[in-house]
mmCIF file of all heavy atoms in Angstrom:
data_model
loop_
_atom_site.group_PDB
_atom_site.id
_atom_site.type_symbol
_atom_site.label_atom_id
_atom_site.label_comp_id
_atom_site.label_asym_id
_atom_site.label_seq_id
_atom_site.Cartn_x
_atom_site.Cartn_y
_atom_site.Cartn_z
ATOM 1 N N ARG G 1 -49.306 34.032 32.446
ATOM 2 C CA ARG G 1 -47.920 34.360 32.820
ATOM 3 C C ARG G 1 -47.816 34.800 34.274
ATOM 4 O O ARG G 1 -47.035 35.687 34.627
ATOM 5 C CB ARG G 1 -47.360 35.449 31.894
ATOM 6 C CG ARG G 1 -47.295 35.026 30.437
ATOM 7 C CD ARG G 1 -46.662 36.085 29.568
ATOM 8 N NE ARG G 1 -46.604 35.668 28.176
ATOM 9 C CZ ARG G 1 -46.084 36.402 27.191
ATOM 10 N NH1 ARG G 1 -45.584 37.599 27.457
ATOM 11 N NH2 ARG G 1 -46.062 35.938 25.956
ATOM 12 N N SER G 2 -48.618 34.195 35.113
ATOM 13 C CA SER G 2 -48.595 34.538 36.539
ATOM 14 C C SER G 2 -49.015 33.332 37.361
ATOM 15 O O SER G 2 -50.065 32.739 37.105
ATOM 16 C CB SER G 2 -49.530 35.718 36.827
ATOM 17 O OG SER G 2 -49.630 35.943 38.222
ATOM 18 N N HIS G 3 -48.192 33.001 38.319
ATOM 19 C CA HIS G 3 -48.532 31.943 39.259
ATOM 20 C C HIS G 3 -49.400 32.492 40.389
ATOM 21 O O HIS G 3 -50.215 31.778 40.969
ATOM 22 C CB HIS G 3 -47.246 31.332 39.828
ATOM 23 C CG HIS G 3 -47.446 30.149 40.702
ATOM 24 N ND1 HIS G 3 -47.598 28.859 40.210
ATOM 25 C CD2 HIS G 3 -47.548 30.036 42.053
ATOM 26 C CE1 HIS G 3 -47.780 28.018 41.214
ATOM 27 N NE2 HIS G 3 -47.742 28.704 42.334
ATOM 28 N N GLN G 4 -49.223 33.785 40.693
ATOM 29 C CA GLN G 4 -49.867 34.378 41.853
ATOM 30 C C GLN G 4 -51.379 34.486 41.694
ATOM 31 O O GLN G 4 -52.106 34.478 42.698
ATOM 32 C CB GLN G 4 -49.269 35.765 42.127
ATOM 33 C CG GLN G 4 -49.673 36.390 43.462
ATOM 34 C CD GLN G 4 -49.283 35.541 44.656
ATOM 35 O OE1 GLN G 4 -48.247 34.885 44.636
ATOM 36 N NE2 GLN G 4 -50.118 35.542 45.686
ATOM 37 N N ILE G 5 -51.879 34.585 40.465
ATOM 38 C CA ILE G 5 -53.320 34.778 40.309
ATOM 39 C C ILE G 5 -54.109 33.521 40.662
ATOM 40 O O ILE G 5 -55.336 33.550 40.683
ATOM 41 C CB ILE G 5 -53.690 35.242 38.887
ATOM 42 C CG1 ILE G 5 -53.399 34.152 37.853
ATOM 43 C CG2 ILE G 5 -52.993 36.525 38.538
ATOM 44 C CD1 ILE G 5 -54.000 34.466 36.500
ATOM 45 N N ARG G 6 -53.417 32.422 40.946
ATOM 46 C CA ARG G 6 -54.126 31.234 41.419
ATOM 47 C C ARG G 6 -54.663 31.407 42.838
ATOM 48 O O ARG G 6 -55.457 30.586 43.301
ATOM 49 C CB ARG G 6 -53.188 30.033 41.428
ATOM 50 C CG ARG G 6 -52.577 29.653 40.099
ATOM 51 C CD ARG G 6 -51.584 28.537 40.308
ATOM 52 N NE ARG G 6 -50.969 28.079 39.076
ATOM 53 C CZ ARG G 6 -50.105 27.071 39.003
ATOM 54 N NH1 ARG G 6 -49.786 26.420 40.110
ATOM 55 N NH2 ARG G 6 -49.577 26.717 37.858
ATOM 56 N N LEU G 7 -54.202 32.447 43.544
ATOM 57 C CA LEU G 7 -54.524 32.614 44.955
ATOM 58 C C LEU G 7 -55.369 33.856 45.175
ATOM 59 O O LEU G 7 -55.050 34.939 44.675
ATOM 60 C CB LEU G 7 -53.254 32.703 45.794
ATOM 61 C CG LEU G 7 -52.339 31.478 45.741
ATOM 62 C CD1 LEU G 7 -51.061 31.737 46.523
ATOM 63 C CD2 LEU G 7 -53.056 30.242 46.290
ATOM 64 N N CYS G 8 -56.433 33.699 45.938
ATOM 65 C CA CYS G 8 -57.307 34.806 46.327
ATOM 66 C C CYS G 8 -56.757 35.448 47.605
ATOM 67 O O CYS G 8 -56.395 34.741 48.543
ATOM 68 C CB CYS G 8 -58.722 34.282 46.560
ATOM 69 S SG CYS G 8 -59.835 35.464 47.354
ATOM 70 N N PRO G 9 -56.700 36.786 47.689
ATOM 71 C CA PRO G 9 -56.173 37.424 48.903
ATOM 72 C C PRO G 9 -57.017 37.169 50.145
ATOM 73 O O PRO G 9 -56.543 37.366 51.262
ATOM 74 C CB PRO G 9 -56.168 38.916 48.539
ATOM 75 C CG PRO G 9 -57.108 39.058 47.398
ATOM 76 C CD PRO G 9 -57.043 37.773 46.645
ATOM 77 N N THR G 10 -58.247 36.706 49.968
ATOM 78 C CA THR G 10 -59.116 36.427 51.110
ATOM 79 C C THR G 10 -59.054 34.965 51.540
ATOM 80 O O THR G 10 -59.583 34.606 52.585
ATOM 81 C CB THR G 10 -60.576 36.805 50.760
ATOM 82 O OG1 THR G 10 -60.592 38.115 50.198
ATOM 83 C CG2 THR G 10 -61.469 36.822 51.995
ATOM 84 N N ASP G 11 -58.427 34.116 50.742
ATOM 85 C CA ASP G 11 -58.321 32.693 51.074
ATOM 86 C C ASP G 11 -57.543 32.545 52.379
ATOM 87 O O ASP G 11 -56.356 32.871 52.446
ATOM 88 C CB ASP G 11 -57.601 31.958 49.948
ATOM 89 C CG ASP G 11 -57.560 30.442 50.145
ATOM 90 O OD1 ASP G 11 -57.810 29.976 51.274
ATOM 91 O OD2 ASP G 11 -57.261 29.731 49.176
ATOM 92 N N PRO G 12 -58.177 32.056 53.458
ATOM 93 C CA PRO G 12 -57.512 32.060 54.777
ATOM 94 C C PRO G 12 -56.330 31.106 54.873
ATOM 95 O O PRO G 12 -55.476 31.286 55.744
ATOM 96 C CB PRO G 12 -58.638 31.641 55.740
ATOM 97 C CG PRO G 12 -59.602 30.873 54.889
ATOM 98 C CD PRO G 12 -59.539 31.505 53.526
ATOM 99 N N VAL G 13 -56.249 30.098 54.014
ATOM 100 C CA VAL G 13 -55.160 29.127 54.112
ATOM 101 C C VAL G 13 -54.176 29.234 52.944
ATOM 102 O O VAL G 13 -53.254 28.430 52.835
ATOM 103 C CB VAL G 13 -55.707 27.682 54.219
ATOM 104 C CG1 VAL G 13 -56.550 27.517 55.453
ATOM 105 C CG2 VAL G 13 -56.503 27.305 52.978
ATOM 106 N N GLY G 14 -54.370 30.227 52.086
ATOM 107 C CA GLY G 14 -53.437 30.411 50.982
ATOM 108 C C GLY G 14 -53.422 29.273 49.991
ATOM 109 O O GLY G 14 -52.366 28.865 49.513
ATOM 110 N N GLY G 15 -54.582 28.757 49.668
ATOM 111 C CA GLY G 15 -54.703 27.660 48.709
ATOM 112 C C GLY G 15 -55.585 26.550 49.241
ATOM 113 O O GLY G 15 -55.125 25.436 49.490
ATOM 114 N N ALA G 16 -56.870 26.854 49.413
ATOM 115 C CA ALA G 16 -57.803 25.891 50.003
ATOM 116 C C ALA G 16 -58.018 24.667 49.122
ATOM 117 O O ALA G 16 -58.289 23.574 49.616
ATOM 118 C CB ALA G 16 -59.151 26.572 50.285
ATOM 119 N N VAL G 17 -57.895 24.851 47.809
ATOM 120 C CA VAL G 17 -58.063 23.730 46.877
ATOM 121 C C VAL G 17 -56.678 23.102 46.683
ATOM 122 O O VAL G 17 -55.917 23.462 45.790
ATOM 123 C CB VAL G 17 -58.668 24.205 45.548
ATOM 124 C CG1 VAL G 17 -58.903 23.025 44.604
ATOM 125 C CG2 VAL G 17 -59.988 24.946 45.793
ATOM 126 N N ASP G 18 -56.358 22.174 47.553
ATOM 127 C CA ASP G 18 -54.999 21.626 47.661
ATOM 128 C C ASP G 18 -54.880 20.324 46.865
ATOM 129 O O ASP G 18 -55.419 19.290 47.256
ATOM 130 C CB ASP G 18 -54.671 21.384 49.136
ATOM 131 C CG ASP G 18 -53.230 20.943 49.348
ATOM 132 O OD1 ASP G 18 -52.522 20.675 48.362
ATOM 133 O OD2 ASP G 18 -52.809 20.863 50.527
ATOM 134 N N PHE G 19 -54.143 20.388 45.757
ATOM 135 C CA PHE G 19 -53.904 19.213 44.922
ATOM 136 C C PHE G 19 -52.430 18.809 44.938
ATOM 137 O O PHE G 19 -51.947 18.174 44.009
ATOM 138 C CB PHE G 19 -54.372 19.471 43.488
ATOM 139 C CG PHE G 19 -55.823 19.115 43.246
ATOM 140 C CD1 PHE G 19 -56.835 19.884 43.793
ATOM 141 C CD2 PHE G 19 -56.165 18.008 42.489
ATOM 142 C CE1 PHE G 19 -58.173 19.562 43.585
ATOM 143 C CE2 PHE G 19 -57.494 17.672 42.277
ATOM 144 C CZ PHE G 19 -58.504 18.442 42.829
ATOM 145 N N THR G 20 -51.715 19.171 46.000
ATOM 146 C CA THR G 20 -50.288 18.861 46.073
ATOM 147 C C THR G 20 -50.028 17.364 46.225
ATOM 148 O O THR G 20 -48.879 16.929 46.080
ATOM 149 C CB THR G 20 -49.619 19.612 47.228
ATOM 150 O OG1 THR G 20 -50.326 19.346 48.456
ATOM 151 C CG2 THR G 20 -49.619 21.119 46.976
ATOM 152 N N ALA G 21 -51.061 16.585 46.515
ATOM 153 C CA ALA G 21 -50.880 15.132 46.554
ATOM 154 C C ALA G 21 -50.575 14.567 45.174
ATOM 155 O O ALA G 21 -50.084 13.438 45.054
ATOM 156 C CB ALA G 21 -52.127 14.453 47.136
ATOM 157 N N TYR G 22 -50.863 15.346 44.143
ATOM 158 C CA TYR G 22 -50.578 14.953 42.766
ATOM 159 C C TYR G 22 -49.288 15.656 42.320
ATOM 160 O O TYR G 22 -49.290 16.887 42.181
ATOM 161 C CB TYR G 22 -51.737 15.343 41.841
ATOM 162 C CG TYR G 22 -53.027 14.627 42.128
ATOM 163 C CD1 TYR G 22 -53.901 15.078 43.116
ATOM 164 C CD2 TYR G 22 -53.374 13.486 41.413
ATOM 165 C CE1 TYR G 22 -55.093 14.408 43.383
ATOM 166 C CE2 TYR G 22 -54.555 12.816 41.668
ATOM 167 C CZ TYR G 22 -55.406 13.279 42.655
ATOM 168 O OH TYR G 22 -56.573 12.618 42.917
ATOM 169 N N PRO G 23 -48.197 14.930 42.118
ATOM 170 C CA PRO G 23 -46.932 15.569 41.731
ATOM 171 C C PRO G 23 -47.091 16.466 40.504
ATOM 172 O O PRO G 23 -47.645 16.049 39.490
ATOM 173 C CB PRO G 23 -46.016 14.376 41.417
ATOM 174 C CG PRO G 23 -46.590 13.236 42.191
ATOM 175 C CD PRO G 23 -48.070 13.453 42.195
ATOM 176 N N GLY G 24 -46.636 17.683 40.654
ATOM 177 C CA GLY G 24 -46.747 18.649 39.561
ATOM 178 C C GLY G 24 -47.871 19.635 39.743
ATOM 179 O O GLY G 24 -47.867 20.694 39.100
ATOM 180 N N MET G 25 -48.826 19.322 40.619
ATOM 181 C CA MET G 25 -49.931 20.242 40.865
ATOM 182 C C MET G 25 -49.673 21.014 42.153
ATOM 183 O O MET G 25 -48.691 20.779 42.852
ATOM 184 C CB MET G 25 -51.262 19.487 40.882
ATOM 185 C CG MET G 25 -51.592 18.851 39.548
ATOM 186 S SD MET G 25 -53.272 18.156 39.444
ATOM 187 C CE MET G 25 -54.275 19.637 39.494
ATOM 188 N N SER G 26 -50.544 21.950 42.473
ATOM 189 C CA SER G 26 -50.245 22.913 43.524
ATOM 190 C C SER G 26 -51.485 23.178 44.384
ATOM 191 O O SER G 26 -52.443 22.403 44.379
ATOM 192 C CB SER G 26 -49.738 24.216 42.879
ATOM 193 O OG SER G 26 -49.295 25.129 43.841
ATOM 194 N N LYS G 27 -51.419 24.288 45.119
ATOM 195 C CA LYS G 27 -52.559 24.771 45.898
ATOM 196 C C LYS G 27 -53.189 25.944 45.152
ATOM 197 O O LYS G 27 -52.490 26.811 44.633
ATOM 198 C CB LYS G 27 -52.119 25.230 47.286
ATOM 199 C CG LYS G 27 -51.617 24.130 48.190
ATOM 200 C CD LYS G 27 -51.249 24.698 49.558
ATOM 201 C CE LYS G 27 -50.781 23.611 50.510
ATOM 202 N NZ LYS G 27 -50.450 24.154 51.846
ATOM 203 N N TYR G 28 -54.520 25.974 45.162
ATOM 204 C CA TYR G 28 -55.246 27.011 44.454
ATOM 205 C C TYR G 28 -56.365 27.552 45.353
ATOM 206 O O TYR G 28 -56.826 26.866 46.258
ATOM 207 C CB TYR G 28 -55.861 26.471 43.162
ATOM 208 C CG TYR G 28 -54.981 25.480 42.426
ATOM 209 C CD1 TYR G 28 -55.194 24.103 42.552
ATOM 210 C CD2 TYR G 28 -53.924 25.914 41.626
ATOM 211 C CE1 TYR G 28 -54.392 23.190 41.891
ATOM 212 C CE2 TYR G 28 -53.112 25.004 40.968
ATOM 213 C CZ TYR G 28 -53.346 23.638 41.109
ATOM 214 O OH TYR G 28 -52.544 22.736 40.466
ATOM 215 N N SER G 29 -56.774 28.758 45.079
ATOM 216 C CA SER G 29 -57.929 29.320 45.790
ATOM 217 C C SER G 29 -59.224 29.133 45.016
ATOM 218 O O SER G 29 -60.297 29.444 45.526
ATOM 219 C CB SER G 29 -57.720 30.820 46.037
ATOM 220 O OG SER G 29 -56.637 31.052 46.894
ATOM 221 N N TYR G 30 -59.093 28.617 43.788
ATOM 222 C CA TYR G 30 -60.245 28.576 42.894
ATOM 223 C C TYR G 30 -60.566 27.150 42.456
ATOM 224 O O TYR G 30 -59.668 26.329 42.267
ATOM 225 C CB TYR G 30 -59.987 29.455 41.675
ATOM 226 C CG TYR G 30 -59.611 30.865 42.050
ATOM 227 C CD1 TYR G 30 -58.323 31.350 41.843
ATOM 228 C CD2 TYR G 30 -60.546 31.710 42.648
ATOM 229 C CE1 TYR G 30 -57.982 32.649 42.214
ATOM 230 C CE2 TYR G 30 -60.212 32.999 43.025
ATOM 231 C CZ TYR G 30 -58.923 33.459 42.811
ATOM 232 O OH TYR G 30 -58.592 34.734 43.185
ATOM 233 N N GLY G 31 -61.848 26.903 42.316
ATOM 234 C CA GLY G 31 -62.302 25.648 41.749
ATOM 235 C C GLY G 31 -62.550 25.815 40.266
ATOM 236 O O GLY G 31 -62.492 26.921 39.709
ATOM 237 N N TRP G 32 -62.823 24.696 39.608
ATOM 238 C CA TRP G 32 -63.094 24.707 38.164
ATOM 239 C C TRP G 32 -64.300 23.826 37.885
ATOM 240 O O TRP G 32 -64.638 22.923 38.657
ATOM 241 C CB TRP G 32 -61.871 24.203 37.393
ATOM 242 C CG TRP G 32 -61.278 22.959 37.988
ATOM 243 C CD1 TRP G 32 -61.688 21.668 37.813
ATOM 244 C CD2 TRP G 32 -60.190 22.903 38.919
ATOM 245 N NE1 TRP G 32 -60.924 20.798 38.559
ATOM 246 C CE2 TRP G 32 -59.986 21.537 39.253
ATOM 247 C CE3 TRP G 32 -59.357 23.858 39.500
ATOM 248 C CZ2 TRP G 32 -58.999 21.106 40.122
ATOM 249 C CZ3 TRP G 32 -58.374 23.437 40.375
ATOM 250 C CH2 TRP G 32 -58.196 22.079 40.675
ATOM 251 N N ASN G 33 -64.943 24.083 36.793
ATOM 252 C CA ASN G 33 -66.172 23.375 36.432
ATOM 253 C C ASN G 33 -65.813 22.008 35.844
ATOM 254 O O ASN G 33 -65.380 21.902 34.699
ATOM 255 C CB ASN G 33 -66.965 24.214 35.424
ATOM 256 C CG ASN G 33 -68.317 23.602 35.102
ATOM 257 O OD1 ASN G 33 -68.587 22.446 35.417
ATOM 258 N ND2 ASN G 33 -69.174 24.383 34.468
ATOM 259 N N LYS G 34 -66.012 20.951 36.626
ATOM 260 C CA LYS G 34 -65.626 19.610 36.164
ATOM 261 C C LYS G 34 -66.560 19.082 35.078
ATOM 262 O O LYS G 34 -66.240 18.078 34.427
ATOM 263 C CB LYS G 34 -65.590 18.634 37.339
ATOM 264 C CG LYS G 34 -66.943 18.312 37.959
ATOM 265 C CD LYS G 34 -66.801 17.314 39.088
ATOM 266 C CE LYS G 34 -68.147 16.918 39.681
ATOM 267 N NZ LYS G 34 -68.004 15.954 40.785
ATOM 268 N N ALA G 35 -67.697 19.745 34.865
ATOM 269 C CA ALA G 35 -68.570 19.344 33.758
ATOM 270 C C ALA G 35 -68.049 19.903 32.435
ATOM 271 O O ALA G 35 -68.340 19.357 31.370
ATOM 272 C CB ALA G 35 -69.996 19.831 34.009
ATOM 273 N N ALA G 36 -67.272 20.976 32.500
ATOM 274 C CA ALA G 36 -66.724 21.583 31.283
ATOM 275 C C ALA G 36 -65.285 21.150 31.028
ATOM 276 O O ALA G 36 -64.875 21.001 29.877
ATOM 277 C CB ALA G 36 -66.793 23.106 31.387
ATOM 278 N N PHE G 37 -64.518 20.970 32.090
ATOM 279 C CA PHE G 37 -63.120 20.571 31.982
ATOM 280 C C PHE G 37 -63.010 19.096 32.387
ATOM 281 O O PHE G 37 -63.287 18.725 33.529
ATOM 282 C CB PHE G 37 -62.231 21.432 32.872
ATOM 283 C CG PHE G 37 -62.352 22.910 32.616
ATOM 284 C CD1 PHE G 37 -62.439 23.811 33.661
ATOM 285 C CD2 PHE G 37 -62.380 23.419 31.317
ATOM 286 C CE1 PHE G 37 -62.542 25.172 33.433
ATOM 287 C CE2 PHE G 37 -62.483 24.770 31.074
ATOM 288 C CZ PHE G 37 -62.565 25.656 32.141
ATOM 289 N N ALA G 38 -62.588 18.267 31.464
ATOM 290 C CA ALA G 38 -62.637 16.813 31.669
ATOM 291 C C ALA G 38 -61.554 16.332 32.628
ATOM 292 O O ALA G 38 -60.417 16.811 32.601
ATOM 293 C CB ALA G 38 -62.478 16.108 30.325
ATOM 294 N N TYR G 39 -61.930 15.364 33.466
ATOM 295 C CA TYR G 39 -60.962 14.662 34.325
ATOM 296 C C TYR G 39 -60.427 13.456 33.551
ATOM 297 O O TYR G 39 -61.180 12.573 33.160
ATOM 298 C CB TYR G 39 -61.627 14.216 35.622
ATOM 299 C CG TYR G 39 -61.620 15.269 36.705
ATOM 300 C CD1 TYR G 39 -62.529 16.317 36.682
ATOM 301 C CD2 TYR G 39 -60.686 15.233 37.731
ATOM 302 C CE1 TYR G 39 -62.521 17.302 37.665
ATOM 303 C CE2 TYR G 39 -60.673 16.204 38.724
ATOM 304 C CZ TYR G 39 -61.585 17.235 38.685
ATOM 305 O OH TYR G 39 -61.563 18.210 39.650
ATOM 306 N N ARG G 40 -59.103 13.437 33.369
ATOM 307 C CA ARG G 40 -58.475 12.359 32.614
ATOM 308 C C ARG G 40 -57.241 11.812 33.337
ATOM 309 O O ARG G 40 -56.329 11.252 32.722
ATOM 310 C CB ARG G 40 -58.083 12.865 31.220
ATOM 311 C CG ARG G 40 -59.273 13.381 30.408
ATOM 312 C CD ARG G 40 -58.855 13.891 29.035
ATOM 313 N NE ARG G 40 -58.240 12.858 28.231
ATOM 314 C CZ ARG G 40 -58.904 11.948 27.524
ATOM 315 N NH1 ARG G 40 -60.233 11.941 27.533
ATOM 316 N NH2 ARG G 40 -58.277 11.048 26.808
ATOM 317 N N ALA G 41 -57.195 11.992 34.642
ATOM 318 C CA ALA G 41 -56.018 11.578 35.410
ATOM 319 C C ALA G 41 -55.907 10.060 35.466
ATOM 320 O O ALA G 41 -56.902 9.365 35.697
ATOM 321 C CB ALA G 41 -56.091 12.140 36.827
ATOM 322 N N PRO G 42 -54.711 9.515 35.255
ATOM 323 C CA PRO G 42 -54.526 8.057 35.374
ATOM 324 C C PRO G 42 -54.690 7.625 36.831
ATOM 325 O O PRO G 42 -54.491 8.399 37.755
ATOM 326 C CB PRO G 42 -53.081 7.851 34.902
ATOM 327 C CG PRO G 42 -52.420 9.169 35.140
ATOM 328 C CD PRO G 42 -53.465 10.208 34.908
ATOM 329 N N GLY G 43 -55.098 6.385 36.997
ATOM 330 C CA GLY G 43 -55.268 5.848 38.338
ATOM 331 C C GLY G 43 -56.595 6.171 38.976
ATOM 332 O O GLY G 43 -56.835 5.832 40.132
ATOM 333 N N GLY G 44 -57.473 6.843 38.243
ATOM 334 C CA GLY G 44 -58.775 7.196 38.775
ATOM 335 C C GLY G 44 -59.892 6.626 37.942
ATOM 336 O O GLY G 44 -59.722 5.594 37.269
ATOM 337 N N PRO G 45 -61.054 7.272 37.936
ATOM 338 C CA PRO G 45 -62.168 6.819 37.096
ATOM 339 C C PRO G 45 -61.784 6.857 35.627
ATOM 340 O O PRO G 45 -60.802 7.497 35.241
ATOM 341 C CB PRO G 45 -63.282 7.835 37.416
ATOM 342 C CG PRO G 45 -62.897 8.431 38.727
ATOM 343 C CD PRO G 45 -61.403 8.437 38.763
ATOM 344 N N PRO G 46 -62.548 6.189 34.765
ATOM 345 C CA PRO G 46 -62.260 6.226 33.322
ATOM 346 C C PRO G 46 -62.186 7.662 32.815
ATOM 347 O O PRO G 46 -62.984 8.517 33.233
ATOM 348 C CB PRO G 46 -63.444 5.475 32.711
ATOM 349 C CG PRO G 46 -63.935 4.581 33.797
ATOM 350 C CD PRO G 46 -63.711 5.334 35.080
ATOM 351 N N PRO G 47 -61.229 7.956 31.947
ATOM 352 C CA PRO G 47 -61.071 9.326 31.450
ATOM 353 C C PRO G 47 -62.338 9.835 30.774
ATOM 354 O O PRO G 47 -62.994 9.120 30.018
ATOM 355 C CB PRO G 47 -59.908 9.215 30.447
ATOM 356 C CG PRO G 47 -59.198 7.957 30.818
ATOM 357 C CD PRO G 47 -60.228 7.039 31.382
ATOM 358 N N GLN G 48 -62.673 11.075 31.046
ATOM 359 C CA GLN G 48 -63.820 11.699 30.402
ATOM 360 C C GLN G 48 -63.400 12.258 29.042
ATOM 361 O O GLN G 48 -62.254 12.667 28.864
ATOM 362 C CB GLN G 48 -64.353 12.844 31.276
ATOM 363 C CG GLN G 48 -64.847 12.411 32.647
ATOM 364 C CD GLN G 48 -65.169 13.615 33.535
ATOM 365 O OE1 GLN G 48 -64.600 14.684 33.370
ATOM 366 N NE2 GLN G 48 -66.080 13.423 34.468
#
């Protein structure tokens, strides 16, 4: 229930992990484990 926790106060650009090229996604300060969380986006590699 918080949008703000996506951002680290030390992140110099306020969202270094920038996925705004994908409509609906945003800028984040945090990465995620792609081995645990599957990539299933259309238009890319075969869905995991």
Side-chain angles (χ1 to χ4, degrees):
R1 298 184 180 181
S2 173
H3 186 84
Q4 191 59 35
I5 66 169
R6 301 175 178 183
L7 299 175
C8 169
T10 311
D11 185 344
V13 299
V17 183
D18 186 352
F19 271 71
T20 54
Y22 295 84
M25 296 189 68
S26 187
K27 293 182 178 181
Y28 322 99
S29 295
Y30 306 111
W32 46 82
N33 185 346
K34 68 179 183 180
F37 304 136
Y39 273 79
R40 301 179 61 82
Q48 298 172 333

